[in-house]
Amino acid sequence: MAFEVVNKKVVRAQVSQQSPVLARRGAMLGYTGQVTFRPLSRSAGGGGAYGTGESASMMASEGSGSVLYGHKGLYVSVIELTGDSLTVEADRLLAYDANLQTSVEMIVQGGVRAAVRGVATGQGMYTTRISGHGSVAVLSHGGTFPLQLTGETVGVDPQAYVGHVGALNIDLKASVGMRDLVGRGAGEAFQLHVSGHGTVYVQASEKRF
């Protein structure tokens, strides 16, 4: 089931008995047909069609009809999975096919943006891995663009990182000495070094999400 891009900030999903959709709570903008919306309880675990990946407020759209999704005027990009896996931080998820499988992992110690905002706080930030065949709609500032990697290494600003598909390794590196970070924002002081084979999705902004 593919999501239809209505414009840069809205997608439409066709919901059926065989293809329910999971979305962040409050993301429904409008719908047609016999569609019902059911809130899902918070869960720290994933797995299964209705696993929510990490602790998140989600809702299931079930029945028969079409649903429009958007959130706070943010840009929406649709990523089609064809048996592979997307790793993305859960707060960027707008909606996805409920038949996709989800699990929880840590992309780097403490999570990408948690590490940038304050490694010493010890507050872990988890990422969600979504696998299978179906559509995933993700949120960003200014839209996303893909970077295809075929074995090389690229540096990505942590605030611009959205997610990745494929066999990629991601390391958080300090580009300057820790003493030099005093009085600076996160910004270019840290970089994500991405290497391997796959696609990394980057937003067209360094604005914090």
Side-chain angles (χ1 to χ4, degrees):
M1 177 192 64
F3 289 179
E4 175 191 353
V5 177
V6 177
N7 60 35
K8 295 178 180 179
K9 300 180 180 181
V10 179
V11 295
R12 177 185 288 110
Q14 298 298 325
V15 177
S16 69
Q17 296 293 341
Q18 295 74 33
S19 300
V21 172
L22 297 184
R24 65 186 304 141
R25 204 174 298 181
M28 188 275 288
L29 302 177
Y31 71 96
T32 60
Q34 302 300 313
V35 182
T36 60
F37 303 94
R38 179 168 57 88
L40 300 178
S41 60
R42 288 179 175 268
S43 171
Y50 278 64
T52 57
E54 67 174 69
S55 180
S57 296
M58 305 292 290
M59 65 178 179
S61 302
E62 302 165 316
S64 178
S66 66
V67 184
L68 295 170
Y69 296 107
H71 183 64
K72 294 185 176 180
L74 292 168
Y75 280 67
V76 181
S77 299
V78 176
I79 299 172
E80 299 292 343
L81 297 181
T82 57
D84 41 9
S85 297
L86 167 69
T87 298
V88 61
E89 291 191 351
D91 59 359
R92 288 190 180 271
L93 287 174
L94 176 65
Y96 59 94
D97 189 330
N99 294 313
L100 290 167
Q101 302 295 308
T102 62
S103 61
V104 177
E105 64 179 26
M106 295 180 70
I107 190 171
V108 293
Q109 184 65 39
V112 176
R113 294 193 307 281
V116 174
R117 285 197 295 257
V119 180
T121 64
Q123 297 179 347
M125 189 169 186
Y126 294 88
T127 60
T128 300
R129 179 182 290 269
I130 304 178
S131 307
H133 292 78
S135 299
V136 183
V138 298
L139 299 167
S140 69
H141 288 290
T144 64
F145 59 93
L147 295 176
Q148 303 288 341
L149 276 71
T150 57
E152 68 272 31
T153 299
V154 299
V156 176
D157 186 286
Q159 305 298 343
Y161 169 87
V162 174
H164 70 270
V165 174
L168 296 178
N169 296 315
I170 299 184
D171 294 312
L172 183 68
K173 302 289 187 180
S175 59
V176 296
M178 291 303 294
R179 291 180 181 177
D180 296 330
L181 299 183
V182 177
R184 296 190 182 189
E188 290 73 17
F190 288 95
Q191 295 177 358
L192 293 180
H193 285 193
V194 186
S195 60
H197 293 76
T199 304
V200 58
Y201 293 90
V202 181
Q203 73 174 17
S205 169
E206 293 182 355
K207 186 175 181 181
R208 292 186 177 185
F209 198 77

